[in-house]
Amino acid sequence: MELKCVVAVVRPEVVEVLERKLGAIHIHGVTVTRVRGFGAHPNYFADDWTTEHVKIEIFAQEESVDALVKTVMDIAHVGATGDGVVAVIPVEKFFRVRNQAEAIP
């Protein structure tokens, strides 16, 4: 089975709902980080061009990725600039530190 890493940068207000929905599709491991940045449309008129977002990283089996991406897109989409981005990245190797062995989550 192939492992993927799904990385999403979304608005902070969608995180709570997104976490519940991820549990409903049996995604039980997620890393959430507060981030600042700007995308294609920075606000040049503001003192600080960056905006606050949340970066979510999830390791998932390849067969779960489509459902995972659809869930993130459905929850995060409001149809406005700043909705966020989602990327799917292949994972070459995955190790568990606890037992120092290569593993599949």
Side-chain angles (χ1 to χ4, degrees), residues 30-100:
V30 60
T31 301
V32 179
T33 310
R34 292 178 189 210
V35 295
R36 294 190 62 80
F38 64 87
H41 305 286
N43 182 356
Y44 296 115
F45 302 105
D47 290 337
D48 183 357
W49 292 3
T50 63
T51 57
E52 289 188 21
H53 277 74
V54 173
K55 181 170 130 180
I56 298 168
E57 297 167 290
I58 303 165
F59 292 100
Q61 299 293 337
E62 186 175 28
E63 60 269 10
S64 302
V65 168
D66 289 341
L68 172 55
V69 169
K70 181 175 180 355
T71 299
V72 172
M73 300 278 282
D74 289 347
I75 300 298
H77 177 262
V78 297
T81 300
D83 274 356
V85 296
V86 178
V88 178
I89 304 164
V91 175
E92 189 173 319
K93 292 186 178 186
F94 187 86
F95 296 90
R96 292 200 185 278
V97 176
R98 174 180 36 119
N99 60 4
Q100 299 182 337

